[in-house]
Amino acid sequence: MPISDCLPVLSDAEVSRRLTELTDSGVRVLIGSVSDMAGVARAKAVPLRRAGVFHTAGMGASPSWHVFCADNALAFTEQLNVVGDLRLRADLAAARAIGDGYAWAPAEFFHQDGTPSAGCARGALRGAQAAAEAAGLTAKVGHELEFTLTDGDGQALPARHWQGYGLGAVLDRGTFLADVTDALESAGVPVEQLHAEYGVGQFEVSLAPAEPLRSADDVVLARLLIGRVARGHGMLVSFSPLPFDGGAGNGAHLHLSLERDGVPLLSGGGEPHGLTREGAAAVAGIVAGLPGTLAVFGGSPLSSARLKPGRWSGAFACWGLENREAAVRLVAATGGNPYGAHVELKCGDPSANVYLATAVLLGLAADGVARGAELPGEVPVNPAEEPAVERLPVTQAAALEALEGSATARALLGEEIWEALLAVRHHELRAYGTLGTAELAERFRFAWSS
Ligand code: GLU
Ligand code: MG
């Protein structure tokens, strides 16, 4: 079923059916959350009997919600300030019971007259998905969540005995990981795999591919649940791009596959590694658009401290088959890859708004297809060894300047989001641009945790 451009209002009968279902699952409170320009999830909650109103009329929120920063400051603009009111409408059809008497639903911003707010990130992804579908493209997106566990005071876990990708590391946190798996799967978040990552206390949960809006919802919900399970085990979870100076960074890699009329675009064709003409154009669109949109995939004060060569974070503006240092890694269709061919975008991190990151990735691919963009040469080696390959913008300031100069980014995000995002990230740059990495890591360690 094609996605609607705007969050549909459920019929009274459908609302009561959902409420009965949630009541039967023991739900007493519904949380509706949005993700802001700084990548932080913010929420309102209602007793379940008010869930219908949360869905139809919505709960009040000042337009300043669009300009919340990672440090909770408000980066007011002329349009987004102390005057006015928006409504947060919970998507009741997407609500999930999450245990302990709670349900969670993604919410979208509307005006009081019921029209959608152009500053809504989930609305932007809904629009990007609808536009891709209207152009005949069906996308699936799979997200990876990297995170770092700390002790209950936010300090690093002991490094002794830690092995990157280690069996011992998994067993050491065995009950935590089993509880995370249960929590995610019972909330309908499909866990693809879990492993210990490279950094001390760092783990990764990958989610199975899903339609774009659902995949982004699942990331928000997964972060909430991972944080909740960690608290239950006396720990905290950092989703910061760089939780500890000198430690490993947390990426937020996105996997994208595309089909037209049920036929994959990234395999079965005559272009390099089996890409079809349209598939090659999609990859070209992504690579071409990356420098200008990097700030959408992670424009926070810590993003550039993570995005460094030699860390598999995708710091180079290029693509390559199974190249883990390229921003765009092509994963070809082989027997070892049951989901078929896809591209992995590696340069993004969890300080991004996941709805905007997903929307822009999809939008760049669709734009490449629409204009028949030409695929640049593949980089089959470590890009650091190829002087001709450019780094993506290396500082937050450079990423913001590129975003300001990108007509593609502006068109994909829409004027209101583009302005709000720049206002927020410029505030963060002004306020924290002179801090050293250790201070930044400490200041923002839990800024993106739910
Ligand atoms: N932690 C790395 C990052 O910052 C990614 C490691 C990996 O390839 O899984 O993106
Ligand atoms: Mg990883």
Side-chain angles (χ1 to χ4, degrees):
M1 196 170 38
I3 195 161
S4 6
D5 278 1
C6 169
L7 176 61
V9 181
L10 300 180
S11 65
D12 290 349
E14 189 57 19
V15 169
S16 345
R17 197 185 64 74
R18 291 294 291 141
L19 292 194
T20 307
E21 253 173 38
L22 293 171
T23 308
D24 292 348
S25 312
V27 172
R28 286 169 284 138
V29 178
L30 172 71
I31 308 173
S33 82
V34 288
S35 298
D36 68 17
M37 300 302 148
V40 176
R42 308 203 187 254
K44 289 220 160 176
V46 296
L48 193 60
R49 66 179 169 76
R50 299 259 302 145
V53 183
F54 200 172
H55 170 64
T56 49
M59 300 295 135
S62 151
S64 61
W65 277 47
H66 287 328
V67 285
F68 264 125
C69 303
D71 62 356
N72 299 307
L74 290 163
F76 288 131
T77 66
E78 251 172 60
Q79 285 80 31
L80 302 168
N81 53 51
V82 295
V83 178
D85 189 48
L86 294 170
R87 313 301 299 175
L88 288 182
R89 284 183 51 213
D91 185 348
L92 212 47
R96 264 120 2 116
I98 57 170
D100 293 345
Y102 280 86
W104 170 87
E108 293 183 29
F109 286 101
F110 283 76
H111 295 287
Q112 285 176 321
D113 66 4
T115 55
S117 159
C120 179
R122 191 173 189 260
L125 176 54
R126 182 185 282 288
Q129 188 177 330
E133 285 177 6
L137 300 173
T138 309
K140 286 244 163 70
V141 179
H143 292 265
E144 295 179 9
L145 288 95
E146 291 184 339
F147 56 89
T148 306
L149 292 174
T150 73
D151 68 17
D153 295 323
Q155 299 308 309
L157 293 178
R160 63 178 183 278
H161 306 318
W162 180 264
Q163 302 144 334
Y165 303 94
L167 170 60
V170 169
L171 294 180
D172 209 28
R173 302 290 159 194
T175 50
F176 163 75
L177 291 173
D179 289 351
V180 163
T181 308
D182 278 351
L184 266 57
E185 296 250 311
S186 23
V189 179
V191 174
E192 187 71 2
Q193 59 160 298
L194 310 101
H195 64 263
E197 254 296 335
Y198 191 68
V200 175
Q202 191 186 30
F203 289 88
E204 174 175 329
V205 176
S206 347
L207 306 183
E211 57 108 3
L213 197 64
R214 168 80 184 208
S215 78
D217 287 347
D218 281 351
V219 169
V220 178
L221 179 53
R223 283 191 196 157
L224 177 168
L225 293 171
I226 294 168
R228 191 161 79 169
V229 173
R231 279 185 208 111
H233 284 259
M235 298 183 291
L236 299 176
V237 172
S238 170
F239 282 100
S240 162
L242 192 71
F244 295 99
D245 187 19
N250 286 319
H253 306 180
L254 287 105
H255 296 252
L256 172 75
S257 65
L258 290 166
E259 288 183 353
R260 180 181 292 287
D261 301 326
V263 180
L265 296 189
L266 300 176
S267 61
E271 302 295 315
H273 309 296
L275 293 170
T276 64
R277 287 289 287 277
E278 287 198 313
V283 176
I286 297 168
V287 174
L290 276 186
T293 54
L294 181 67
V296 178
F297 296 110
S300 75
L302 276 158
S303 294
S304 49
R306 163 190 167 264
L307 193 62
K308 296 254 164 64
R311 292 167 153 255
W312 294 18
S313 56
F316 294 90
C318 62
W319 74 279
L321 179 72
E322 294 293 1
N323 191 333
R324 285 186 162 76
E325 279 286 294
V328 180
R329 166 188 171 218
L330 175 65
V331 181
T334 66
N337 175 15
Y339 291 114
H342 57 271
V343 285
E344 178 189 26
L345 184 75
K346 291 180 72 74
C347 54
D349 70 57
S351 68
N353 178 309
V354 67
Y355 294 101
L356 295 184
T358 311
V360 168
L361 178 62
L362 185 55
L364 290 177
D367 175 58
V369 172
R371 62 191 173 79
E374 192 165 335
L375 187 65
E378 173 184 3
V379 175
V381 295
N382 184 343
E385 291 158 11
E386 280 287 337
V389 179
E390 298 209 355
R391 287 271 307 272
L392 286 167
V394 293
T395 60
Q396 188 189 18
L400 294 182
E401 203 181 307
L403 180 65
E404 265 165 323
S406 167
T408 310
R410 198 168 178 166
L412 289 178
L413 294 170
E415 207 65 20
E416 190 162 329
I417 292 179
W418 184 77
E419 273 178 25
L421 183 61
L422 280 166
V424 165
R425 293 310 194 192
H426 272 303
H427 159 80
E428 294 171 0
L429 176 62
R430 270 193 310 274
Y432 304 100
T434 56
L435 286 196
T437 309
E439 277 173 293
L440 277 176
E442 163 84 30
R443 173 73 180 77
F444 289 101
R445 189 165 297 145
F446 297 104
W448 298 280
S449 303
S450 299

